[in-house]
Amino acid sequence: MMQKDLGIAGRCGFALLAVTVIALPVALFAKGIDVGVFCAVGIVWLLVSAALILGDSITEITLWKATIKRDVQAAKVARAEVEAVRDELRVAVKSLVDSTEIAFSMSLSIESPDEILERRARAVERLQEFAEPDPVKLREWREELKKLP
């Protein structure tokens, strides 16, 4: 139950903490690293693992003159804006594909070389896959487009 609440960042934090507590002392006692490296790496890894475990509650970590700032709310707002722009772009691409299908279905009455028609079909399929990433909705949309005159 607690693992689900932690999320992947929390689990990674505990994994990093375990490596810090187990592997670093082993490396120190095996004389793979010296005391200075042990202290430096240990402090940084402990700070990072604490930040990952505590999650959104930590917004700034300061160690001497080095500062790591994290603005969770701003990141969430930016992500929402990017997703909104992506959704609007998908709507625009769907409209473009719809109009292209109408235009080309009307032009089919005129003889066209097969190469041009195949190239156009591949280009429209790529646009459709970008506009609708869900395979079920894409299939339904393509069926609707086939019904156009």
Side-chain angles (χ1 to χ4, degrees):
M1 176 81 174
M2 183 153 181
Q3 265 189 339
K4 290 183 180 179
D5 295 336
L6 282 176
I8 192 153
R11 290 189 292 256
C12 289
F14 278 115
L16 184 59
L17 180 64
V19 170
T20 305
V21 172
I22 296 169
L24 274 180
V26 169
L28 177 67
F29 293 130
K31 300 202 187 303
I33 59 174
D34 62 3
V35 176
V37 172
F38 173 79
C39 291
V41 172
I43 289 171
V44 171
W45 284 6
L46 286 173
L47 287 173
V48 171
S49 65
L52 290 171
I53 292 168
L54 296 175
D56 294 347
S57 61
I58 292 181
T59 58
E60 184 175 344
I61 298 173
T62 303
L63 183 63
W64 293 289
K65 292 184 180 183
T67 301
I68 301 171
K69 291 185 179 182
R70 185 175 131 182
D71 191 354
V72 175
Q73 187 60 32
K76 288 179 182 177
V77 168
R79 180 179 180 161
E81 289 175 1
V82 167
E83 288 175 351
V85 168
R86 180 202 61 206
D87 293 342
E88 289 177 16
L89 182 60
R90 283 190 170 147
V91 169
V93 169
K94 281 184 180 181
S95 299
L96 174 67
V97 170
D98 287 345
S99 64
T100 303
E101 280 295 318
I102 291 170
F104 278 109
S105 65
M106 295 179 89
S107 69
L108 284 178
S109 60
I110 302 172
E111 292 284 328
S112 295
D114 291 336
E115 282 182 26
I116 295 173
L117 289 176
E118 288 177 21
R119 191 178 329 148
R120 183 216 40 102
R122 285 193 305 268
V124 169
E125 285 176 7
R126 284 193 304 267
L127 284 173
Q128 288 173 338
E129 290 168 1
F130 171 76
E132 186 55 69
D134 183 15
V136 175
K137 290 181 181 178
L138 178 63
R139 189 174 352 100
E140 292 172 358
W141 183 35
R142 285 180 175 163
E143 288 172 5
E144 288 177 21
L145 288 175
K146 288 179 184 177
K147 294 177 186 176
L148 291 175

